[in-house]
Amino acid sequence: MVKNPNIERLNGNKNLTFFTGVATETGIYKDRKVATYHNCKITIFETGTVIFSGSIHKLWNSLKNNMTNKEHGFNGNTFTLKDIMFMKHHLMDIFGCQPQQLIFRNIEFGLNIDTNFKVKTFLSGLLFHKGKMFENSYNNHFYKVIHQQYILKIYDKGSQYNLNTNTLRFEIKFKKMIELNGIGIYSMNEITSKTLLMVEKIILGRFQEIVYYDRTISKHTLTKREKENLKNYSNPRFWIDDLKPVRRDRHKKKLQTIIESNSNKLHQQIFIAMEKECVIINPR
């Protein structure tokens, strides 16, 4: 939301063409007008409220002509703090405002990680996060867990954009700003190296909390009991429906012991790559 917007400036911007919005059910929205800008939207309400919506990562790629999908935009590459600062000033120029006037209503942070294995191999082993099973869609290329204040998303970015890479994207969509307000993020003004470090901790912590079954587990060295356990451990329903929450931790440790000793440890590989990507995005 743009606080105290300069609506006259927006209306006079030659790069923006505002149209009256159309509602599928009721016809024309009479209380707002909307301009599309590089896969993003700027909405001006009759009340004077101005909302910018869309991905500034996709907007940055569009401005730089780094596009593989012009219809929906592209966010499959690295988007650094330097790039974010460029976009901050770009938005300030569009709206004729200061960064503290660009108030976040919700926000999404994500990382793109290239792997040396098929992303789907990891995705197919996702079990649950904080007691909730992953939902999957798009032919098992997209997984998410919906919590009250945020949504975790993990998906095959390479498949989404038909890239010649095994690119996994992990992101957190904050539906409410409570957690981010707690680390001092309210507006574009607070997106700094310091606050991004705190966001990194949240992202890495949430990824570590994921319970997964590693599809690369080699079973030929396992005991008969371990093999029997794996039949249950690979099934999300076992964890959520059959096990009481107080009993999950013991089985999680058993599964993790098997993964550590008998697999390629895909989760660990991704986590290490995520740490490295964070340093590239936000140099220390």
Side-chain angles (χ1 to χ4, degrees):
M1 181 180 68
V2 184
K3 187 177 181 180
N4 300 322
N6 186 334
I7 294 177
E8 184 178 350
R9 179 189 179 97
L10 281 175
N11 284 323
N13 190 325
K14 295 181 180 179
N15 294 317
L16 301 175
T17 302
F18 286 94
F19 296 93
T20 302
V22 177
T24 305
E25 298 85 2
T26 59
I28 296 176
Y29 287 125
K30 295 182 179 179
D31 64 339
R32 73 196 70 175
K33 54 185 181 180
V34 181
T36 300
Y37 182 67
H38 294 270
N39 303 109
C40 298
K41 288 184 179 179
I42 298 171
T43 304
I44 302 176
F45 292 86
E46 279 188 358
T47 58
T49 299
V50 173
I51 300 291
F52 171 85
S53 58
S55 165
I56 63 169
H57 188 173
K58 291 182 179 180
L59 174 53
W60 177 79
N61 273 315
S62 183
L63 292 170
K64 299 291 183 178
N65 290 317
N66 299 328
M67 300 291 286
T68 64
N69 188 322
K70 292 186 178 181
E71 182 179 356
H72 300 292
F74 178 64
N75 65 344
N77 54 355
T78 298
F79 188 50
T80 68
L81 177 60
K82 180 181 178 181
D83 303 326
I84 295 170
M85 293 302 100
F86 173 87
M87 289 310 308
K88 177 177 76 172
H89 289 285
H90 185 77
L91 293 176
M92 288 166 58
D93 182 61
I94 290 175
F95 294 106
C97 69
Q98 295 302 306
Q100 59 267 29
Q101 291 175 252
L102 299 169
I103 310 295
F104 294 121
R105 284 189 155 184
N106 53 61
I107 190 171
E108 194 167 277
F109 289 100
L111 292 170
N112 297 311
I113 304 299
D114 288 337
T115 69
N116 58 9
F117 52 84
K118 291 187 179 299
V119 173
K120 198 172 181 179
T121 303
F122 176 73
L123 298 181
S124 64
L126 293 172
L127 296 170
F128 66 97
H129 176 266
K130 292 288 188 179
K132 289 196 172 186
M133 287 194 309
F134 281 89
E135 305 172 18
N136 69 78
S137 55
Y138 299 105
N139 196 27
N140 297 321
H141 287 296
F142 183 96
Y143 286 69
K144 67 180 179 181
V145 173
I146 301 175
H147 292 289
Q148 186 177 8
Q149 294 189 17
Y150 62 89
I151 302 173
L152 289 191
K153 303 178 186 178
I154 311 178
Y155 53 101
D156 188 342
K157 180 62 69 173
S159 175
Q160 180 188 22
Y161 286 125
N162 294 316
L163 304 175
N164 293 320
T165 58
N166 296 313
T167 303
L168 175 145
R169 182 169 177 84
F170 178 70
E171 59 191 35
I172 304 176
K173 179 178 182 178
F174 292 92
K175 299 188 291 180
K176 299 181 179 180
M177 290 296 294
I178 297 171
E179 186 172 14
L180 294 179
N181 289 166
I183 61 173
I185 296 177
Y186 296 88
S187 71
M188 200 70 185
N189 191 53
E190 291 84 45
I191 300 297
T192 65
S193 179
K194 182 180 178 180
T195 55
L196 281 188
L197 283 173
M198 290 185 275
V199 171
E200 288 172 19
K201 289 182 180 179
I202 294 173
I203 292 175
L204 295 174
R206 295 273 157 79
F207 186 75
Q208 285 285 64
E209 292 166 350
I210 291 171
V211 179
Y212 84 109
Y213 176 84
D214 198 311
R215 297 293 179 187
T216 68
I217 291 174
S218 175
K219 298 179 182 178
H220 71 275
T221 59
L222 302 181
T223 66
K224 183 178 179 181
R225 182 62 179 272
E226 287 174 329
K227 291 178 182 177
E228 287 297 318
N229 283 340
L230 286 184
K231 291 179 182 179
N232 287 325
Y233 291 167
S234 62
N235 181 4
R237 289 290 176 190
F238 166 77
W239 296 92
I240 303 302
D241 297 340
D242 299 342
L243 280 181
K244 293 181 179 180
V246 294
R247 295 185 58 210
R248 288 175 191 156
D249 192 56
R250 182 166 65 91
H251 289 282
K252 281 162 58 177
K253 289 177 180 177
K254 285 185 177 182
L255 174 57
Q256 191 58 38
T257 298
I258 293 173
I259 290 173
E260 288 290 331
S261 303
N262 302 276
S263 77
N264 295 335
K265 295 179 280 192
L266 303 185
H267 184 276
Q268 182 179 330
Q269 288 187 48
I270 295 170
F271 182 79
I272 292 171
M274 289 171 69
E275 288 183 310
K276 293 179 179 177
E277 183 70 4
C278 284
V279 175
I280 293 171
I281 291 170
N282 185 18
R284 307 300 188 258

